[in-house]
Amino acid sequence: MESIISIDELLGNIGTPESKLRRYQACLNEFDRLNYDDPFIRQIREEARRLEQKIKESKTQNTWFKFSE
């Protein structure tokens, strides 16, 4: 997972967290369709879950600004 993220960052393909989550979900849907699972895919699932939680938390914040982490 880290290697994919690093490549995205190097290529400037970071995008919004929502767009990254959509890419992860599209990949995971394809793996589900193929009935394929391995440790790397489980890592992607976990990263997607964390990203989804982070997006949800950022939408519930009551501040008008957010410091980058």
Side-chain angles (χ1 to χ4, degrees):
M1 196 71 212
E2 289 299 320
S3 62
I4 291 174
I5 293 171
S6 297
I7 290 171
D8 278 346
E9 290 172 353
L10 288 172
L11 296 175
N13 297 334
I14 297 171
T16 64
E18 291 85 1
S19 66
K20 186 182 284 190
L21 181 59
R22 281 192 301 273
R23 288 195 315 266
Y24 286 165
Q25 289 172 333
C27 291
L28 292 170
N29 289 340
E30 186 66 16
F31 288 128
D32 286 344
R33 187 183 71 74
L34 297 170
N35 198 28
Y36 185 77
D37 189 38
D38 68 12
F40 181 69
I41 295 169
R42 287 189 290 276
Q43 188 178 0
I44 295 171
R45 287 187 197 287
E46 181 59 27
E47 176 65 23
R49 187 195 62 73
R50 283 193 301 259
L51 188 56
E52 190 171 29
Q53 184 64 35
K54 185 176 179 179
I55 291 168
K56 187 183 293 185
E57 289 171 0
S58 71
K59 288 183 178 182
T60 60
Q61 287 184 341
N62 293 329
T63 59
W64 59 273
F65 66 93
K66 184 174 192 311
F67 293 107
S68 58
E69 297 174 7

